[in-house]
Amino acid sequence: MATHRDIAARRTLALVGPSAAGKTSLAEALLWKAGAIGAPGSVERGSTVSDQDPLEKRGQRSLNTTLLHFGHRGITTHLVDTPGAPDFLGQSLPALEAVETAAIVINAAVGIEPMAVRMMEWAKQRERDRLIVVNRIDAQGVNLQALVGQIQAAFGKECLPLNLPSQRGEGVLDCFWKLRDEGPPPDFSSVEQAHRALVEQVVEVDAAFVDRYLNDGDVAPEEVHAPLEQALREGHLIPICFVSARTGAGVPELLDVIERLLPDPTEGNPPAFLEGEGEAAKTIQGLADPERHVLAHVFKVTQDPYVGKMGVLRVHQGTITRDSQLYVGDGRRPFKVGHLFLLQGKELKEVAKAVPGDLCAIAKVEELHYDAVLHDADEDAHIRLLPLAFPVPVHGLAITPRRRGDEQRLHDILLKLVSEDPCLKVEHVATTNETVVYGLGELHLRTLLDRLTEVHGCQVDTRPPRIAYRETITAPAEGHHRHKKQTGGAGQFGEVFLRVEPLPRGAGFQFADEVKGGAIPHNFMPAVEKGVRQAMEQGVIAGYPVVDLKVTVHDGKHHAVDSKEIAFVTAGRKALIAAVQAAGPCVLEPIVDVEIAAPEQHMGDITGDLASRRGQVSGTQAASDGALTVLAQAPLSELASYQSRLNSLTGGQGRYTLAFSHYEAVPPAVQAQLASQYKLKDEA
């Protein structure tokens, strides 16, 4: 049985931040310095432990969250390497649920990027301990002192160096355990000054320490450990560490920080579990106790072609063994854990048990899904983790299999890919009869298509999703058609008089029979309605479904011999077309509610761009991360590939969501264009 000492020897750390900050290279350097691998791999050569996916090797960027681990000095560290592109937030954000500490990696040669700001804010919201790792300190021309000032301006004065670079980034000097300058001087500031700033920041969380520090002067670093943990938990201290993953400078010191200063599972902020549903739900805390009943959270799902479905989880409470009986959420049937794995990139290492603080995987359990809570007690059936606020996927792509008969196979593959990424969505749009995949951006969807073709061998065709335009009328009108066809023998005859009236928006379709005297026998009236519905589905002026009108059939003629259903279907269809053409027809377009969050300095550009897209701004409000949110309405047709435009307006710092609002008539010029395109298509 695991002991509390075993739990205290666990560390969990997620490397998060922008692309090209060097997270994967830093993970390699840590594994190497800890003795877990013989030599650090290279992203350029595709030899890292993290990036084993062929798509990652080809693109030289992380696309998936990867779990790593190493043991060093009696401490087991679980390391999570995350992708840095905003398109893959569905991979990187859940990593925050699995760790005590989020390490935001910053490229010293580039500075503070939007993704670093966003991950810092999300880590703060989830109450993770935060650590800033400045990588590439050996890059030519970097001003690390100025960068520290930028970090403090962006994230607060609580961001303080734990060590300082020296010899132009060739090494670093510890500032926490050492009290004064020894050896080569730092590139800026001094060890003594940095140490004093750290201690003064830490002791502020403990009034007794403040008094002692003021009266007696310095205190030993060992005595500051407890208030240091409190300062990290409360966000009162955000340490800064300097490294060069390329040369290894600062990596042993970072390893030392992880093992000696970062929290174990009993010291970090516990996860925010909710018990119950709706407003009655109450917050409960999981306790990092190996002897209590099990609470574990599935933060990642993979579909491995050899292993099958695999749930990657963090154990928060209790102990899971290979023969444990576990429930998935409120499921009534338990499953037996057959195999329990530690992950080292793509490699699986089977283990006998997992205790609080462990990140492990369970394979071949179909019930596992992202965000599932695993437990072994009936009373825990309604416990869940406070859900993450993911960005809404709005970048759509219509997708069809290139080979006929592959529709079901494509559907099954898409469901597997969506199960791996909370920010991917697939839906069948009935109004346009399309399967549309939604993601966070072009890179996100391009990667999905690459997986479809290269990993699963499913060739597909894609196009932008069709805009679900509609047609309607603006005035009452009459329509008439006589269908007469004589080709020898029995002919076809049917004549229909009808009128159309507009209905309120969203009222749909009404059909009325006011024929008197048997001018159209009742048995032919369903055929007339069928013809009317055919015309409405096919469209009249632009090829889009006709909506919100009432059709009243009030007269007609029939022939005792030649009248047939097909004749009245044709007569009804063409009478409806004639009536709509005379009723002031117009094309309707979907209008969506748009919420755009971006830094305040970009608001003018955003609102101006929306106005050029026929958008109407209704107001602004403060966003949670200090940005502003623009509230507006705009035609959906004007927002195709809008993320690319928003990125150029905001330097990649803007994000938006869409929600359908209503239908509205298009401007005359747009209607004329749509009608002419339909006419050309019809003639062709």
Side-chain angles (χ1 to χ4, degrees), residues 109-126:
V110 178
I112 301 172
E113 298 178 74
M115 191 63 174
V117 177
R118 294 173 74 176
M119 294 309 297
M120 180 70 84
E121 179 61 29
W122 270 310
K124 179 181 179 181
Q125 290 175 2
R126 302 306 279 194

Side-chain angles (χ1 to χ4, degrees), residues 584-595:
C586 71
V587 177
L588 303 173
E589 64 180 341
I591 305 297
V592 292
D593 292 320
V594 191
E595 292 189 9

Side-chain angles (χ1 to χ4, degrees), residues 159-299:
C159 301
L160 295 172
L162 270 179
N163 51 45
L164 291 171
S166 69
Q167 299 173 296
R168 296 184 178 180
E170 292 184 6
V172 301
L173 302 173
D174 169 66
C175 301
F176 182 75
W177 302 100
K178 293 183 179 178
L179 310 187
R180 55 192 57 83
D181 292 287
E182 296 176 7
D187 292 341
F188 65 90
S189 185
S190 70
V191 170
E192 185 176 354
Q193 181 180 338
H195 175 80
R196 187 167 58 251
L198 279 169
V199 173
E200 289 177 354
Q201 185 73 12
V202 166
V203 299
E204 284 182 0
V205 301
D206 189 320
F209 254 103
V210 172
D211 292 339
R212 179 180 165 188
Y213 182 71
L214 292 175
N215 293 330
D216 302 340
D218 215 343
V219 292
E222 293 79 3
E223 298 181 78
V224 189
H225 186 82
L228 173 71
E229 297 292 350
Q230 182 181 346
L232 290 172
R233 282 196 304 272
E234 296 176 357
H236 193 70
L237 173 66
I238 303 174
I240 302 173
C241 293
F242 294 90
V243 302
S244 170
R246 184 182 66 86
T247 66
V251 175
E253 289 80 2
L254 178 59
L255 197 58
D256 197 49
V257 167
I258 293 171
E259 295 166 352
R260 299 176 71 182
L261 296 182
L262 294 189
D264 65 49
T266 66
E267 295 170 324
N269 288 317
F273 283 107
L274 297 177
E275 184 175 31
E277 303 296 332
E279 296 181 358
K282 60 180 181 179
T283 302
I284 63 170
Q285 289 186 350
L287 299 177
D289 186 341
E291 299 180 8
R292 294 174 65 90
H293 48 83
V294 171
L295 284 177
H297 176 248
V298 178
F299 66 94

Side-chain angles (χ1 to χ4, degrees), residues 4-32:
H4 291 278
R5 182 176 295 178
D6 296 328
I7 311 305
R10 297 288 194 274
R11 303 290 183 271
T12 57
L13 180 71
L15 301 178
V16 298
S19 294
K23 299 184 295 297
T24 298
S25 298
L26 178 59
E28 289 290 308
L30 286 168
L31 289 172
W32 176 52

